[in-house]
Amino acid sequence: GCADADLALFLERLGAQITAVDHTSTNYNGLRGAAALLRHFRSSIDLHDWDLDHSPPPAVVGSQYDLALVLGILYHLQNPLQVLNSAALLARYAIVSTRVLRGDPVLDALPIAYLLSEDELNADSSNFWLPTVKGLERMFRRARAPLFATMWRVRLIACLAKGSRSLARRPR
């Protein structure tokens, strides 16, 4: 989700052509902040209000992007693998940032995702899934562009926890 589109505006100023997506029902200000900033800066960013749980926005289907930024949305989605499949179809590379389930040695070893209740994770009912790191790695391996059966190669997974150092490692 592009939130207020601040990163999108920054990348546009560096010369990138940007398509930004978020959904008014889960965006903290209903995309009013993004729309106001894009108007203020006379931006040419293509902003879409779309629920990614159902499909990619029709305006991007058939497009090809160099990079997809999937930042802070996977745990909000009912169908995170579908979104990764769409990103794999539309973009050559992706940077993904999401919350993960960590801290239990038994669960940490499993490629799973935990379905949150409405009152967990900041009592935010828009949160659905927390994968373990191994679960996230498996989602990346399974995400593919259906027509071409191409798969992403994961270059690096870095786990950052509050108050700790990065536990970055390269997947096997």
Side-chain angles (χ1 to χ4, degrees), residues 75-154:
Y75 57 96
H76 288 294
L77 299 169
Q78 294 177 25
N79 302 300
L81 188 57
Q82 176 180 300
V83 170
L84 292 176
N85 286 339
S86 295
L89 178 64
L90 297 169
R92 185 172 175 199
Y93 299 102
I95 295 174
V96 179
S97 173
T98 192
R99 290 178 180 252
V100 293
L101 179 65
R102 292 185 39 203
D104 181 309
V106 174
L107 295 179
D108 289 348
L110 299 173
I112 61 172
Y114 172 72
L115 179 59
L116 296 156
S117 69
E118 304 82 21
D119 60 351
E120 289 182 293
L121 195 58
N122 303 322
D124 182 349
S125 64
S126 75
N127 296 324
F128 288 94
W129 295 102
L130 277 185
T132 60
V133 173
K134 293 216 177 269
L136 190 60
E137 287 175 347
R138 183 163 294 173
M139 282 196 287
F140 291 150
R141 278 200 313 274
R142 298 288 308 271
R144 59 184 74 228
L147 298 177
F148 307 107
T150 57
M151 296 176 68
W152 281 335
R153 287 190 345 211
V154 176

Side-chain angles (χ1 to χ4, degrees), residues 43-56:
S43 172
S44 63
I45 291 173
D46 191 15
L47 178 64
H48 296 273
D49 175 7
W50 196 258
D51 181 356
L52 291 173
D53 259 322
H54 300 293
S55 64

